[in-house]
Amino acid sequence: MMHRLVTVIFMLLITLCAPAQSLKADFVQTRYVRMLNEKTVAKGRLEVSGQMVRWEYTSPFACVVLINKDRVTINRDGKQQTIDTGNNGMMRALSRLFSKSIAVQGKKGATNELAVPKDMKQMYSRITVHYSSKTGVADRVTLYETEGDRTEIELKPHP
């Protein structure tokens, strides 16, 4: 569960933020579970400044994910876990793929499909990025899992 959480966060951040940009936004993460015919919703805040990222879930549980260059630290229920992304093949592959192929700005209202990295094909069959019809800025990432479930992350940037 936590590994998927970090993967989804990492993908979203690389997709939406170039290293020198900053961003403050609220997010809504919705996971659709096909077999159970239900969805779960998590909400929180995102702050990106250079290579520092803070991804904070505020509901239905509290969890803070801090990303600093090649380290991910997860704080949940008073427990801390640190992941060295430089030693994680999946994270390295995502970083290479998305840092080269994703535009923060796109055609207004467009949805682009991304190539799924080789290390991720067991988990995800498809990844899409949607761009706002008003601003053309990426505002939604959808990850389609191989079992038919999907996770949708919507960003609502602060002005």
Side-chain angles (χ1 to χ4, degrees):
M1 161 70 177
M2 196 52 72
H3 185 65
R4 277 195 181 192
L5 167 75
V6 172
T7 301
V8 168
I9 292 169
F10 194 74
M11 292 175 78
L12 176 67
L13 296 175
I14 291 173
T15 300
L16 298 176
C17 304
Q21 292 182 321
S22 63
L23 170 71
K24 288 185 180 182
D26 293 324
F27 69 85
V28 176
Q29 178 179 312
T30 306
R31 180 162 165 71
Y32 299 89
V33 181
R34 184 180 59 110
M35 289 188 66
L36 301 176
N37 198 24
E38 66 179 45
K39 66 180 181 179
T40 56
V41 177
K43 296 179 181 182
R45 292 182 290 274
L46 165 67
E47 187 171 341
V48 179
S49 179
Q51 295 181 338
M52 299 280 295
V53 176
R54 179 183 173 90
W55 181 276
E56 180 181 1
Y57 284 93
T58 56
S59 75
F61 56 88
C63 177
V64 177
V65 179
L66 301 170
I67 302 172
N68 185 1
K69 295 182 184 177
D70 58 356
R71 288 193 99 101
V72 176
T73 303
I74 303 164
N75 294 303
R76 182 172 181 190
D77 298 329
K79 296 177 185 173
Q80 183 172 306
Q81 175 186 5
T82 300
I83 301 168
D84 182 353
T85 60
N87 293 330
N88 185 307
M90 184 184 312
M91 297 292 190
R92 273 195 320 273
L94 287 168
S95 180
R96 283 193 308 272
L97 171 75
F98 291 123
S99 64
K100 294 177 183 175
S101 63
I102 303 303
V104 174
Q105 195 78 24
K107 184 178 178 184
K108 291 181 179 180
T111 299
N112 293 343
E113 188 160 335
L114 310 179
V116 177
K118 185 173 110 177
D119 292 345
M120 302 288 300
K121 287 191 182 229
Q122 289 181 346
M123 212 178 337
Y124 299 106
S125 60
R126 201 171 118 199
I127 303 167
T128 61
V129 179
H130 179 267
Y131 297 91
S132 165
S133 59
K134 293 180 181 178
T135 64
V137 173
D139 65 356
R140 183 175 63 237
V141 175
T142 306
L143 301 114
Y144 297 87
E145 296 180 29
T146 54
E147 298 88 27
D149 301 339
R150 76 180 190 277
T151 300
E152 194 170 279
I153 302 172
E154 293 185 56
L155 281 181
K156 298 172 184 162
H158 298 176

